[in-house]
Amino acid sequence: LPTTSYNSNLLTTMTNHINHRRYLDFLFLADASVSLVFGVLAILTPHGIIRSLGGGEYNHSAHEVFRLYGCLRVAVGWITFNVRSVDDGRFRKNICEALFFCYMLQAMAVLRAQFTDKANPINWIAIILLTVIGGAYGRFRFGAGGDMIKVYELPQNNKVMR
């Protein structure tokens, strides 16, 4: 009966890979949703809000940088939303690595700003969110099974709904 044990282990392994794939697709969808909403809000942010965030003074350059960051968030949202339907394992693996490093570098940049300028509670929220999202990509990519291409490219019976 070794065949039964082998089939059971194979089934368990395949189920784990499918669950990892679903988790990654959910992570992409959650990231896309937050990125698109934040990006659009950043692009449309009125002068008054930028003025209040800037301590009472309006800074046109800061507003433009904030809008440009919003454009990048919209692009990341679009990419992560659409990558869910891609079955190329190497591509999805590289996306996970890139997003892990991207979010961690952003968290470090905001952390540095928190300690080199006057403290701001919004920075702590950003640091936590960026670290959690980056950590999720890192856990998936560098955690158990993250190096196996099959985790990223298992075919799906029903393609991701758009």
Side-chain angles (χ1 to χ4, degrees):
L1 298 179
T3 307
T4 306
S5 175
Y6 174 77
N7 288 340
S8 175
N9 289 340
L10 181 62
L11 182 61
T12 302
T13 301
M14 292 300 291
T15 302
N16 288 339
H17 289 333
I18 291 169
N19 287 338
H20 283 309
R21 168 72 187 238
R22 286 184 183 146
Y23 169 69
L24 180 58
D25 285 340
F26 175 76
L27 182 58
F28 284 147
L29 181 61
D31 189 4
S33 301
V34 171
S35 292
L36 287 168
V37 168
F38 180 81
V40 169
L41 290 175
I43 292 168
L44 300 176
T45 300
H47 297 317
I49 292 176
I50 298 298
R51 181 180 298 116
S52 66
L53 291 174
E57 288 187 30
Y58 176 73
N59 184 329
H60 181 75
S61 297
H63 197 180
E64 289 308 309
V65 168
F66 191 62
R67 285 180 174 154
L68 290 171
Y69 183 70
C71 294
L72 290 173
R73 294 307 324 161
V74 168
V76 167
W78 184 259
I79 291 167
T80 54
F81 181 78
N82 286 296
V83 78
R84 295 175 310 130
S85 62
V86 174
D87 285 331
D88 183 345
R90 285 193 184 104
F91 182 73
R92 289 169 64 99
K93 180 178 167 182
N94 289 332
I95 291 286
C96 286
E97 284 180 23
L99 289 172
F100 165 73
F101 287 114
C102 177
Y103 282 113
M104 289 306 178
L105 288 171
Q106 287 179 79
M108 287 189 290
V110 177
L111 187 63
R112 182 184 181 282
Q114 182 70 1
F115 290 119
T116 57
D117 200 7
K118 62 181 180 176
N120 184 341
I122 293 174
N123 284 352
W124 285 117
I125 294 168
I127 292 164
I128 290 167
L129 288 174
L130 293 167
T131 303
V132 166
I133 296 170
Y137 281 113
R139 180 179 169 267
F140 188 87
R141 171 54 189 96
F142 301 108
D147 58 338
M148 296 185 305
I149 291 295
K150 290 297 178 199
V151 170
Y152 301 96
E153 66 183 12
L154 286 173
Q156 302 177 85
N157 288 341
N158 52 352
K159 283 292 185 184
V160 175
M161 301 298 287
R162 292 191 184 226

PDB file of all heavy atoms in Angstrom, residues 107-144:
ATOM      1  N   ALA A 107       8.992  51.605   3.822  1.00  0.00           N
ATOM      2  CA  ALA A 107       8.863  51.631   5.283  1.00  0.00           C
ATOM      3  C   ALA A 107      10.119  52.211   5.922  1.00  0.00           C
ATOM      4  O   ALA A 107      10.034  53.021   6.862  1.00  0.00           O
ATOM      5  CB  ALA A 107       8.579  50.220   5.809  1.00  0.00           C
ATOM      6  N   MET A 108      11.291  51.830   5.426  1.00  0.00           N
ATOM      7  CA  MET A 108      12.544  52.356   5.974  1.00  0.00           C
ATOM      8  C   MET A 108      12.674  53.862   5.706  1.00  0.00           C
ATOM      9  O   MET A 108      13.158  54.611   6.556  1.00  0.00           O
ATOM     10  CB  MET A 108      13.740  51.597   5.408  1.00  0.00           C
ATOM     11  CG  MET A 108      13.867  50.196   5.979  1.00  0.00           C
ATOM     12  SD  MET A 108      15.392  49.354   5.528  1.00  0.00           S
ATOM     13  CE  MET A 108      15.138  49.064   3.800  1.00  0.00           C
ATOM     14  N   ALA A 109      12.241  54.305   4.539  1.00  0.00           N
ATOM     15  CA  ALA A 109      12.309  55.737   4.218  1.00  0.00           C
ATOM     16  C   ALA A 109      11.403  56.541   5.143  1.00  0.00           C
ATOM     17  O   ALA A 109      11.800  57.605   5.642  1.00  0.00           O
ATOM     18  CB  ALA A 109      11.926  55.966   2.757  1.00  0.00           C
ATOM     19  N   VAL A 110      10.206  56.048   5.392  1.00  0.00           N
ATOM     20  CA  VAL A 110       9.289  56.751   6.281  1.00  0.00           C
ATOM     21  C   VAL A 110       9.800  56.686   7.726  1.00  0.00           C
ATOM     22  O   VAL A 110       9.700  57.662   8.475  1.00  0.00           O
ATOM     23  CB  VAL A 110       7.853  56.184   6.167  1.00  0.00           C
ATOM     24  CG1 VAL A 110       6.914  56.861   7.152  1.00  0.00           C
ATOM     25  CG2 VAL A 110       7.323  56.347   4.747  1.00  0.00           C
ATOM     26  N   LEU A 111      10.377  55.560   8.116  1.00  0.00           N
ATOM     27  CA  LEU A 111      10.958  55.425   9.451  1.00  0.00           C
ATOM     28  C   LEU A 111      12.085  56.436   9.656  1.00  0.00           C
ATOM     29  O   LEU A 111      12.180  57.091  10.696  1.00  0.00           O
ATOM     30  CB  LEU A 111      11.465  54.001   9.660  1.00  0.00           C
ATOM     31  CG  LEU A 111      11.950  53.644  11.059  1.00  0.00           C
ATOM     32  CD1 LEU A 111      10.816  53.736  12.065  1.00  0.00           C
ATOM     33  CD2 LEU A 111      12.538  52.243  11.065  1.00  0.00           C
ATOM     34  N   ARG A 112      12.918  56.573   8.652  1.00  0.00           N
ATOM     35  CA  ARG A 112      14.007  57.556   8.727  1.00  0.00           C
ATOM     36  C   ARG A 112      13.435  58.967   8.868  1.00  0.00           C
ATOM     37  O   ARG A 112      13.904  59.762   9.682  1.00  0.00           O
ATOM     38  CB  ARG A 112      14.895  57.478   7.487  1.00  0.00           C
ATOM     39  CG  ARG A 112      16.062  58.448   7.541  1.00  0.00           C
ATOM     40  CD  ARG A 112      16.878  58.428   6.257  1.00  0.00           C
ATOM     41  NE  ARG A 112      18.003  59.328   6.328  1.00  0.00           N
ATOM     42  CZ  ARG A 112      17.938  60.649   6.172  1.00  0.00           C
ATOM     43  NH1 ARG A 112      16.783  61.224   5.943  1.00  0.00           N
ATOM     44  NH2 ARG A 112      19.022  61.395   6.246  1.00  0.00           N
ATOM     45  N   ALA A 113      12.407  59.269   8.086  1.00  0.00           N
ATOM     46  CA  ALA A 113      11.780  60.589   8.176  1.00  0.00           C
ATOM     47  C   ALA A 113      11.171  60.806   9.563  1.00  0.00           C
ATOM     48  O   ALA A 113      11.214  61.925  10.094  1.00  0.00           O
ATOM     49  CB  ALA A 113      10.700  60.731   7.107  1.00  0.00           C
ATOM     50  N   GLN A 114      10.646  59.763  10.144  1.00  0.00           N
ATOM     51  CA  GLN A 114      10.032  59.870  11.477  1.00  0.00           C
ATOM     52  C   GLN A 114      11.062  60.270  12.531  1.00  0.00           C
ATOM     53  O   GLN A 114      10.752  61.016  13.447  1.00  0.00           O
ATOM     54  CB  GLN A 114       9.364  58.541  11.853  1.00  0.00           C
ATOM     55  CG  GLN A 114       8.665  58.534  13.174  1.00  0.00           C
ATOM     56  CD  GLN A 114       7.398  59.377  13.212  1.00  0.00           C
ATOM     57  OE1 GLN A 114       6.987  59.982  12.225  1.00  0.00           O
ATOM     58  NE2 GLN A 114       6.773  59.431  14.368  1.00  0.00           N
ATOM     59  N   PHE A 115      12.284  59.770  12.399  1.00  0.00           N
ATOM     60  CA  PHE A 115      13.303  60.040  13.411  1.00  0.00           C
ATOM     61  C   PHE A 115      14.196  61.232  13.086  1.00  0.00           C
ATOM     62  O   PHE A 115      14.920  61.703  13.952  1.00  0.00           O
ATOM     63  CB  PHE A 115      14.157  58.798  13.646  1.00  0.00           C
ATOM     64  CG  PHE A 115      13.404  57.709  14.349  1.00  0.00           C
ATOM     65  CD1 PHE A 115      13.221  56.482  13.749  1.00  0.00           C
ATOM     66  CD2 PHE A 115      12.855  57.920  15.612  1.00  0.00           C
ATOM     67  CE1 PHE A 115      12.522  55.474  14.396  1.00  0.00           C
ATOM     68  CE2 PHE A 115      12.142  56.924  16.259  1.00  0.00           C
ATOM     69  CZ  PHE A 115      11.971  55.698  15.654  1.00  0.00           C
ATOM     70  N   THR A 116      14.160  61.717  11.845  1.00  0.00           N
ATOM     71  CA  THR A 116      15.031  62.854  11.500  1.00  0.00           C
ATOM     72  C   THR A 116      14.263  64.166  11.398  1.00  0.00           C
ATOM     73  O   THR A 116      14.873  65.208  11.266  1.00  0.00           O
ATOM     74  CB  THR A 116      15.761  62.602  10.167  1.00  0.00           C
ATOM     75  OG1 THR A 116      14.802  62.364   9.141  1.00  0.00           O
ATOM     76  CG2 THR A 116      16.707  61.427  10.284  1.00  0.00           C
ATOM     77  N   ASP A 117      12.951  64.106  11.437  1.00  0.00           N
ATOM     78  CA  ASP A 117      12.128  65.308  11.404  1.00  0.00           C
ATOM     79  C   ASP A 117      11.198  65.243  12.611  1.00  0.00           C
ATOM     80  O   ASP A 117      11.270  64.311  13.409  1.00  0.00           O
ATOM     81  CB  ASP A 117      11.339  65.352  10.094  1.00  0.00           C
ATOM     82  CG  ASP A 117      10.830  66.749   9.740  1.00  0.00           C
ATOM     83  OD1 ASP A 117      11.202  67.708  10.443  1.00  0.00           O
ATOM     84  OD2 ASP A 117      10.070  66.869   8.767  1.00  0.00           O
ATOM     85  N   LYS A 118      10.296  66.203  12.734  1.00  0.00           N
ATOM     86  CA  LYS A 118       9.379  66.148  13.871  1.00  0.00           C
ATOM     87  C   LYS A 118       8.468  64.928  13.726  1.00  0.00           C
ATOM     88  O   LYS A 118       8.035  64.570  12.620  1.00  0.00           O
ATOM     89  CB  LYS A 118       8.580  67.433  13.999  1.00  0.00           C
ATOM     90  CG  LYS A 118       7.676  67.754  12.835  1.00  0.00           C
ATOM     91  CD  LYS A 118       6.959  69.063  13.066  1.00  0.00           C
ATOM     92  CE  LYS A 118       6.068  69.336  11.866  1.00  0.00           C
ATOM     93  NZ  LYS A 118       5.270  70.506  12.033  1.00  0.00           N
ATOM     94  N   ALA A 119       8.194  64.288  14.852  1.00  0.00           N
ATOM     95  CA  ALA A 119       7.395  63.049  14.865  1.00  0.00           C
ATOM     96  C   ALA A 119       5.982  63.325  14.353  1.00  0.00           C
ATOM     97  O   ALA A 119       5.418  64.385  14.583  1.00  0.00           O
ATOM     98  CB  ALA A 119       7.349  62.473  16.271  1.00  0.00           C
ATOM     99  N   ASN A 120       5.441  62.344  13.648  1.00  0.00           N
ATOM    100  CA  ASN A 120       4.127  62.479  13.045  1.00  0.00           C
ATOM    101  C   ASN A 120       3.403  61.138  13.181  1.00  0.00           C
ATOM    102  O   ASN A 120       3.911  60.119  12.716  1.00  0.00           O
ATOM    103  CB  ASN A 120       4.308  62.867  11.573  1.00  0.00           C
ATOM    104  CG  ASN A 120       3.010  63.130  10.871  1.00  0.00           C
ATOM    105  OD1 ASN A 120       1.942  62.725  11.308  1.00  0.00           O
ATOM    106  ND2 ASN A 120       3.109  63.816   9.753  1.00  0.00           N
ATOM    107  N   PRO A 121       2.210  61.114  13.780  1.00  0.00           N
ATOM    108  CA  PRO A 121       1.500  59.831  13.936  1.00  0.00           C
ATOM    109  C   PRO A 121       1.120  59.182  12.607  1.00  0.00           C
ATOM    110  O   PRO A 121       1.024  57.961  12.516  1.00  0.00           O
ATOM    111  CB  PRO A 121       0.261  60.196  14.749  1.00  0.00           C
ATOM    112  CG  PRO A 121       0.170  61.672  14.759  1.00  0.00           C
ATOM    113  CD  PRO A 121       1.508  62.223  14.399  1.00  0.00           C
ATOM    114  N   ILE A 122       0.939  59.975  11.569  1.00  0.00           N
ATOM    115  CA  ILE A 122       0.620  59.410  10.248  1.00  0.00           C
ATOM    116  C   ILE A 122       1.788  58.555   9.753  1.00  0.00           C
ATOM    117  O   ILE A 122       1.582  57.524   9.111  1.00  0.00           O
ATOM    118  CB  ILE A 122       0.268  60.535   9.249  1.00  0.00           C
ATOM    119  CG1 ILE A 122      -1.035  61.201   9.676  1.00  0.00           C
ATOM    120  CG2 ILE A 122       0.156  59.994   7.832  1.00  0.00           C
ATOM    121  CD1 ILE A 122      -1.414  62.400   8.856  1.00  0.00           C
ATOM    122  N   ASN A 123       3.004  58.976  10.061  1.00  0.00           N
ATOM    123  CA  ASN A 123       4.175  58.184   9.668  1.00  0.00           C
ATOM    124  C   ASN A 123       4.136  56.796  10.301  1.00  0.00           C
ATOM    125  O   ASN A 123       4.480  55.810   9.645  1.00  0.00           O
ATOM    126  CB  ASN A 123       5.471  58.897  10.057  1.00  0.00           C
ATOM    127  CG  ASN A 123       5.797  60.047   9.137  1.00  0.00           C
ATOM    128  OD1 ASN A 123       5.159  60.240   8.115  1.00  0.00           O
ATOM    129  ND2 ASN A 123       6.790  60.821   9.516  1.00  0.00           N
ATOM    130  N   TRP A 124       3.739  56.718  11.563  1.00  0.00           N
ATOM    131  CA  TRP A 124       3.691  55.398  12.221  1.00  0.00           C
ATOM    132  C   TRP A 124       2.669  54.493  11.545  1.00  0.00           C
ATOM    133  O   TRP A 124       2.902  53.296  11.378  1.00  0.00           O
ATOM    134  CB  TRP A 124       3.400  55.542  13.709  1.00  0.00           C
ATOM    135  CG  TRP A 124       4.582  56.038  14.473  1.00  0.00           C
ATOM    136  CD1 TRP A 124       4.687  57.208  15.157  1.00  0.00           C
ATOM    137  CD2 TRP A 124       5.855  55.380  14.607  1.00  0.00           C
ATOM    138  NE1 TRP A 124       5.942  57.315  15.702  1.00  0.00           N
ATOM    139  CE2 TRP A 124       6.683  56.202  15.389  1.00  0.00           C
ATOM    140  CE3 TRP A 124       6.377  54.171  14.136  1.00  0.00           C
ATOM    141  CZ2 TRP A 124       7.989  55.871  15.718  1.00  0.00           C
ATOM    142  CZ3 TRP A 124       7.679  53.839  14.467  1.00  0.00           C
ATOM    143  CH2 TRP A 124       8.469  54.680  15.246  1.00  0.00           C
ATOM    144  N   ILE A 125       1.545  55.059  11.146  1.00  0.00           N
ATOM    145  CA  ILE A 125       0.535  54.266  10.431  1.00  0.00           C
ATOM    146  C   ILE A 125       1.111  53.766   9.113  1.00  0.00           C
ATOM    147  O   ILE A 125       0.971  52.591   8.757  1.00  0.00           O
ATOM    148  CB  ILE A 125      -0.747  55.100  10.205  1.00  0.00           C
ATOM    149  CG1 ILE A 125      -1.404  55.402  11.544  1.00  0.00           C
ATOM    150  CG2 ILE A 125      -1.711  54.372   9.269  1.00  0.00           C
ATOM    151  CD1 ILE A 125      -2.514  56.443  11.470  1.00  0.00           C
ATOM    152  N   ALA A 126       1.788  54.660   8.389  1.00  0.00           N
ATOM    153  CA  ALA A 126       2.399  54.270   7.111  1.00  0.00           C
ATOM    154  C   ALA A 126       3.467  53.205   7.317  1.00  0.00           C
ATOM    155  O   ALA A 126       3.539  52.230   6.555  1.00  0.00           O
ATOM    156  CB  ALA A 126       2.999  55.492   6.420  1.00  0.00           C
ATOM    157  N   ILE A 127       4.296  53.352   8.340  1.00  0.00           N
ATOM    158  CA  ILE A 127       5.354  52.372   8.616  1.00  0.00           C
ATOM    159  C   ILE A 127       4.748  51.001   8.882  1.00  0.00           C
ATOM    160  O   ILE A 127       5.202  49.990   8.342  1.00  0.00           O
ATOM    161  CB  ILE A 127       6.220  52.839   9.808  1.00  0.00           C
ATOM    162  CG1 ILE A 127       7.034  54.073   9.417  1.00  0.00           C
ATOM    163  CG2 ILE A 127       7.130  51.711  10.294  1.00  0.00           C
ATOM    164  CD1 ILE A 127       7.625  54.831  10.595  1.00  0.00           C
ATOM    165  N   ILE A 128       3.703  50.965   9.686  1.00  0.00           N
ATOM    166  CA  ILE A 128       3.062  49.685  10.019  1.00  0.00           C
ATOM    167  C   ILE A 128       2.438  49.059   8.778  1.00  0.00           C
ATOM    168  O   ILE A 128       2.651  47.872   8.487  1.00  0.00           O
ATOM    169  CB  ILE A 128       2.018  49.881  11.135  1.00  0.00           C
ATOM    170  CG1 ILE A 128       2.731  50.203  12.448  1.00  0.00           C
ATOM    171  CG2 ILE A 128       1.138  48.646  11.285  1.00  0.00           C
ATOM    172  CD1 ILE A 128       1.811  50.709  13.549  1.00  0.00           C
ATOM    173  N   LEU A 129       1.677  49.849   8.013  1.00  0.00           N
ATOM    174  CA  LEU A 129       1.025  49.305   6.811  1.00  0.00           C
ATOM    175  C   LEU A 129       2.039  48.812   5.780  1.00  0.00           C
ATOM    176  O   LEU A 129       1.884  47.719   5.221  1.00  0.00           O
ATOM    177  CB  LEU A 129       0.105  50.352   6.184  1.00  0.00           C
ATOM    178  CG  LEU A 129      -1.179  50.650   6.930  1.00  0.00           C
ATOM    179  CD1 LEU A 129      -1.925  51.804   6.269  1.00  0.00           C
ATOM    180  CD2 LEU A 129      -2.059  49.423   7.006  1.00  0.00           C
ATOM    181  N   LEU A 130       3.051  49.608   5.523  1.00  0.00           N
ATOM    182  CA  LEU A 130       4.062  49.221   4.531  1.00  0.00           C
ATOM    183  C   LEU A 130       4.816  47.968   4.968  1.00  0.00           C
ATOM    184  O   LEU A 130       5.098  47.087   4.150  1.00  0.00           O
ATOM    185  CB  LEU A 130       5.034  50.376   4.283  1.00  0.00           C
ATOM    186  CG  LEU A 130       4.441  51.607   3.603  1.00  0.00           C
ATOM    187  CD1 LEU A 130       5.400  52.792   3.707  1.00  0.00           C
ATOM    188  CD2 LEU A 130       4.081  51.306   2.155  1.00  0.00           C
ATOM    189  N   THR A 131       5.116  47.872   6.254  1.00  0.00           N
ATOM    190  CA  THR A 131       5.821  46.701   6.766  1.00  0.00           C
ATOM    191  C   THR A 131       4.947  45.452   6.700  1.00  0.00           C
ATOM    192  O   THR A 131       5.428  44.379   6.334  1.00  0.00           O
ATOM    193  CB  THR A 131       6.297  46.951   8.207  1.00  0.00           C
ATOM    194  OG1 THR A 131       7.131  48.110   8.227  1.00  0.00           O
ATOM    195  CG2 THR A 131       7.070  45.766   8.751  1.00  0.00           C
ATOM    196  N   VAL A 132       3.678  45.590   7.021  1.00  0.00           N
ATOM    197  CA  VAL A 132       2.764  44.434   6.975  1.00  0.00           C
ATOM    198  C   VAL A 132       2.600  43.932   5.543  1.00  0.00           C
ATOM    199  O   VAL A 132       2.688  42.723   5.281  1.00  0.00           O
ATOM    200  CB  VAL A 132       1.393  44.789   7.600  1.00  0.00           C
ATOM    201  CG1 VAL A 132       0.334  43.753   7.263  1.00  0.00           C
ATOM    202  CG2 VAL A 132       1.533  44.927   9.109  1.00  0.00           C
ATOM    203  N   ILE A 133       2.369  44.845   4.605  1.00  0.00           N
ATOM    204  CA  ILE A 133       2.201  44.423   3.209  1.00  0.00           C
ATOM    205  C   ILE A 133       3.501  43.822   2.671  1.00  0.00           C
ATOM    206  O   ILE A 133       3.495  42.767   2.043  1.00  0.00           O
ATOM    207  CB  ILE A 133       1.727  45.594   2.324  1.00  0.00           C
ATOM    208  CG1 ILE A 133       0.338  46.058   2.766  1.00  0.00           C
ATOM    209  CG2 ILE A 133       1.681  45.177   0.855  1.00  0.00           C
ATOM    210  CD1 ILE A 133      -0.108  47.355   2.119  1.00  0.00           C
ATOM    211  N   GLY A 134       4.622  44.494   2.927  1.00  0.00           N
ATOM    212  CA  GLY A 134       5.913  43.959   2.497  1.00  0.00           C
ATOM    213  C   GLY A 134       6.209  42.615   3.145  1.00  0.00           C
ATOM    214  O   GLY A 134       6.702  41.697   2.497  1.00  0.00           O
ATOM    215  N   GLY A 135       5.887  42.508   4.424  1.00  0.00           N
ATOM    216  CA  GLY A 135       6.088  41.238   5.122  1.00  0.00           C
ATOM    217  C   GLY A 135       5.250  40.111   4.545  1.00  0.00           C
ATOM    218  O   GLY A 135       5.691  38.958   4.494  1.00  0.00           O
ATOM    219  N   ALA A 136       4.043  40.441   4.109  1.00  0.00           N
ATOM    220  CA  ALA A 136       3.182  39.419   3.498  1.00  0.00           C
ATOM    221  C   ALA A 136       3.808  38.908   2.203  1.00  0.00           C
ATOM    222  O   ALA A 136       3.842  37.696   1.957  1.00  0.00           O
ATOM    223  CB  ALA A 136       1.789  39.992   3.230  1.00  0.00           C
ATOM    224  N   TYR A 137       4.320  39.820   1.379  1.00  0.00           N
ATOM    225  CA  TYR A 137       5.000  39.383   0.155  1.00  0.00           C
ATOM    226  C   TYR A 137       6.273  38.616   0.494  1.00  0.00           C
ATOM    227  O   TYR A 137       6.583  37.610  -0.138  1.00  0.00           O
ATOM    228  CB  TYR A 137       5.332  40.576  -0.749  1.00  0.00           C
ATOM    229  CG  TYR A 137       4.149  41.071  -1.539  1.00  0.00           C
ATOM    230  CD1 TYR A 137       3.595  42.314  -1.291  1.00  0.00           C
ATOM    231  CD2 TYR A 137       3.585  40.284  -2.533  1.00  0.00           C
ATOM    232  CE1 TYR A 137       2.512  42.776  -2.013  1.00  0.00           C
ATOM    233  CE2 TYR A 137       2.495  40.735  -3.260  1.00  0.00           C
ATOM    234  CZ  TYR A 137       1.963  41.979  -2.989  1.00  0.00           C
ATOM    235  OH  TYR A 137       0.879  42.416  -3.712  1.00  0.00           O
ATOM    236  N   GLY A 138       7.011  39.075   1.492  1.00  0.00           N
ATOM    237  CA  GLY A 138       8.238  38.392   1.890  1.00  0.00           C
ATOM    238  C   GLY A 138       7.970  37.017   2.463  1.00  0.00           C
ATOM    239  O   GLY A 138       8.687  36.054   2.161  1.00  0.00           O
ATOM    240  N   ARG A 139       6.931  36.898   3.284  1.00  0.00           N
ATOM    241  CA  ARG A 139       6.575  35.593   3.856  1.00  0.00           C
ATOM    242  C   ARG A 139       6.211  34.616   2.749  1.00  0.00           C
ATOM    243  O   ARG A 139       6.594  33.458   2.769  1.00  0.00           O
ATOM    244  CB  ARG A 139       5.407  35.746   4.822  1.00  0.00           C
ATOM    245  CG  ARG A 139       4.968  34.453   5.450  1.00  0.00           C
ATOM    246  CD  ARG A 139       3.815  34.701   6.417  1.00  0.00           C
ATOM    247  NE  ARG A 139       3.229  33.459   6.834  1.00  0.00           N
ATOM    248  CZ  ARG A 139       2.188  32.882   6.238  1.00  0.00           C
ATOM    249  NH1 ARG A 139       1.627  33.473   5.210  1.00  0.00           N
ATOM    250  NH2 ARG A 139       1.723  31.738   6.663  1.00  0.00           N
ATOM    251  N   PHE A 140       5.481  35.131   1.786  1.00  0.00           N
ATOM    252  CA  PHE A 140       5.095  34.252   0.685  1.00  0.00           C
ATOM    253  C   PHE A 140       6.301  33.869  -0.152  1.00  0.00           C
ATOM    254  O   PHE A 140       6.505  32.704  -0.486  1.00  0.00           O
ATOM    255  CB  PHE A 140       4.048  34.929  -0.207  1.00  0.00           C
ATOM    256  CG  PHE A 140       3.486  33.996  -1.224  1.00  0.00           C
ATOM    257  CD1 PHE A 140       2.408  33.201  -0.913  1.00  0.00           C
ATOM    258  CD2 PHE A 140       4.060  33.876  -2.466  1.00  0.00           C
ATOM    259  CE1 PHE A 140       1.905  32.311  -1.836  1.00  0.00           C
ATOM    260  CE2 PHE A 140       3.576  32.985  -3.395  1.00  0.00           C
ATOM    261  CZ  PHE A 140       2.494  32.209  -3.067  1.00  0.00           C
ATOM    262  N   ARG A 141       7.121  34.846  -0.481  1.00  0.00           N
ATOM    263  CA  ARG A 141       8.248  34.595  -1.389  1.00  0.00           C
ATOM    264  C   ARG A 141       9.388  33.835  -0.720  1.00  0.00           C
ATOM    265  O   ARG A 141       9.955  32.923  -1.285  1.00  0.00           O
ATOM    266  CB  ARG A 141       8.753  35.926  -1.961  1.00  0.00           C
ATOM    267  CG  ARG A 141      10.041  35.838  -2.749  1.00  0.00           C
ATOM    268  CD  ARG A 141       9.943  34.807  -3.861  1.00  0.00           C
ATOM    269  NE  ARG A 141      11.233  34.583  -4.463  1.00  0.00           N
ATOM    270  CZ  ARG A 141      12.067  33.608  -4.134  1.00  0.00           C
ATOM    271  NH1 ARG A 141      11.768  32.761  -3.186  1.00  0.00           N
ATOM    272  NH2 ARG A 141      13.211  33.475  -4.753  1.00  0.00           N
ATOM    273  N   PHE A 142       9.749  34.218   0.494  1.00  0.00           N
ATOM    274  CA  PHE A 142      10.915  33.633   1.147  1.00  0.00           C
ATOM    275  C   PHE A 142      10.552  32.603   2.205  1.00  0.00           C
ATOM    276  O   PHE A 142      11.432  31.962   2.761  1.00  0.00           O
ATOM    277  CB  PHE A 142      11.783  34.742   1.763  1.00  0.00           C
ATOM    278  CG  PHE A 142      12.265  35.726   0.746  1.00  0.00           C
ATOM    279  CD1 PHE A 142      11.749  37.012   0.705  1.00  0.00           C
ATOM    280  CD2 PHE A 142      13.225  35.366  -0.184  1.00  0.00           C
ATOM    281  CE1 PHE A 142      12.188  37.923  -0.241  1.00  0.00           C
ATOM    282  CE2 PHE A 142      13.664  36.275  -1.139  1.00  0.00           C
ATOM    283  CZ  PHE A 142      13.143  37.548  -1.169  1.00  0.00           C
ATOM    284  N   GLY A 143       9.258  32.439   2.501  1.00  0.00           N
ATOM    285  CA  GLY A 143       8.816  31.457   3.479  1.00  0.00           C
ATOM    286  C   GLY A 143       8.807  30.056   2.895  1.00  0.00           C
ATOM    287  O   GLY A 143       9.340  29.799   1.814  1.00  0.00           O
ATOM    288  N   ALA A 144       8.175  29.146   3.604  1.00  0.00           N
ATOM    289  CA  ALA A 144       8.118  27.744   3.177  1.00  0.00           C
ATOM    290  C   ALA A 144       7.474  27.629   1.799  1.00  0.00           C
ATOM    291  O   ALA A 144       6.381  28.116   1.572  1.00  0.00           O
ATOM    292  CB  ALA A 144       7.324  26.921   4.187  1.00  0.00           C
TER     293      ALA A 144
END
